[in-house]
Amino acid sequence: MFTAQQYVRPASIEEAYALNQKITSAILGGGCWLRLGKRRIGTLIDLSALGLDSIEETEREITVGAMVTLRQLETSGALGQSFGSGFARMTEHIVGVQFRNCATLGGSLAARFGFSDVLTWLLALDCQVELAGAGRISLAAYAQMPHDRDILLRLILQKNGRKAVYESFRNTQTDLPVLTCAVSTLDGDLRIVLGARPSRAAALDGLSLSIDADAAAKAAQAHFSFGTNMRASADYRRHLAGVLVRRAVTQLQEAEQ
């Protein structure tokens, strides 16, 4: 369990950003992962007073605040209408409902965990993140950045008609994933994202939706690197990548018919 010398609930984003510039400070999201460590924190910064806990929709975008919980993502009507069952499938195996009621979008993305279902799914869509200091940047760019003292405020999802499918494999239902997979299509192009390899999720673009599903699976197996840890070997993950990509591509192709 972590310890904190000081707890602060800032009244503005500017105050939160200034407080977080100290290396001993930490942002409190849902606290689900933070509590597992033994970190000694100088100032614990609670963002719950900054209005970042809502999902807002316009004609072209859906904006999701950093303090929105995974359970809100799972049950959101706006996200379901625009992106089908993907958000529900992405979250359904993340520990349990109690955990998802606490864990936040911001905490999940800012950590950029290698095993993240959330990052894998969102990289298959067209997203930007809004940072307190750097402003708006693409999620793909943010996913590759080193950790710094900036604060993730919001996720902005483009409502551009992209269709996506989410698949994952776990040794047990609520365990961390052995492999995560999201495949999406827009205007006939195909994007394949694999995570929990066990490294951070990354995308493969440049394929066509008309490609044979077996060929897409082989392309993914050749493009991505796979490693070994306590959950699976590199060879097993490579095999799973073929299975999950083939399954997801087939679903998208059948939906287009």
Side-chain angles (χ1 to χ4, degrees):
M1 177 65 74
F2 67 87
T3 59
Q5 293 179 318
Q6 180 180 209
Y7 165 86
V8 181
R9 193 166 179 253
S12 69
I13 291 170
E14 293 75 14
E15 181 186 0
Y17 181 79
L19 287 168
N20 198 47
Q21 298 316 296
K22 295 182 180 180
I23 196 170
T24 56
S25 297
I27 299 294
L28 176 64
C32 295
W33 299 109
L34 188 63
R35 69 181 178 82
L36 298 179
K38 296 182 179 180
R39 182 177 174 185
R40 298 183 66 181
I41 298 168
T43 302
L44 188 63
I45 306 165
D46 184 350
L47 305 181
S48 62
L50 302 181
L52 301 176
D53 58 350
S54 62
I55 299 173
E56 300 175 356
E57 182 177 14
T58 66
E59 184 178 348
R60 296 184 178 182
E61 297 178 341
I62 296 179
T63 301
V64 184
M67 294 299 287
V68 167
T69 67
L70 301 189
R71 181 63 173 168
Q72 285 177 268
L73 297 181
E74 183 179 11
T75 60
S76 168
L79 294 174
Q81 185 173 4
S82 294
F83 303 103
S85 62
F87 276 90
R89 284 187 58 81
M90 176 268 291
T91 53
E92 65 181 345
H93 297 302
I94 301 177
V95 186
V97 172
Q98 297 93 332
F99 184 92
R100 299 195 295 272
N101 272 324
C102 296
T104 61
L105 170 69
S108 300
L109 283 183
R112 284 162 276 191
F113 293 123
F115 56 78
S116 176
D117 293 271
V118 178
L119 182 58
T120 302
W121 167 247
L122 291 176
L123 283 175
L125 306 179
D126 298 303
C127 309
Q128 293 177 307
V129 293
E130 181 184 347
L131 305 175
R136 281 197 184 194
I137 63 172
S138 71
L139 176 63
Y142 180 70
Q144 298 304 315
M145 288 171 54
H147 294 280
D148 59 21
R149 308 307 302 175
D150 213 336
I151 300 176
L152 176 63
L153 300 177
R154 298 174 183 87
L155 172 77
I156 301 96
L157 296 132
Q158 302 300 314
K159 295 168 55 179
N160 56 5
R162 181 177 290 275
K163 306 298 182 185
V165 172
Y166 188 77
E167 297 284 344
S168 68
F169 182 84
R170 287 162 159 81
N171 290 328
T172 59
Q173 185 170 350
T174 59
D175 191 12
L176 296 179
V178 171
L179 192 75
T180 58
C181 171
V183 179
S184 67
T185 182
L186 178 66
D187 298 331
D189 292 330
L190 201 65
R191 177 182 299 165
I192 298 171
V193 181
L194 293 180
R197 299 174 287 113
S199 51
R200 190 180 298 175
L204 167 62
D205 286 295
L207 301 177
S208 170
L209 181 61
S210 62
I211 191 173
D212 180 78
D214 286 332
K218 291 178 181 178
Q221 288 172 318
H223 176 79
F224 292 99
S225 61
F226 301 90
T228 297
N229 65 3
M230 63 182 291
R231 287 183 171 79
S233 68
D235 287 342
Y236 186 55
R237 283 191 165 94
R238 186 174 292 105
H239 171 74
L240 282 177
V243 173
L244 297 185
V245 169
R246 188 180 302 110
R247 185 181 299 168
V249 170
T250 299
Q251 289 182 58
L252 287 173
Q253 290 173 338
E254 291 176 348
E256 290 292 310
Q257 294 176 357

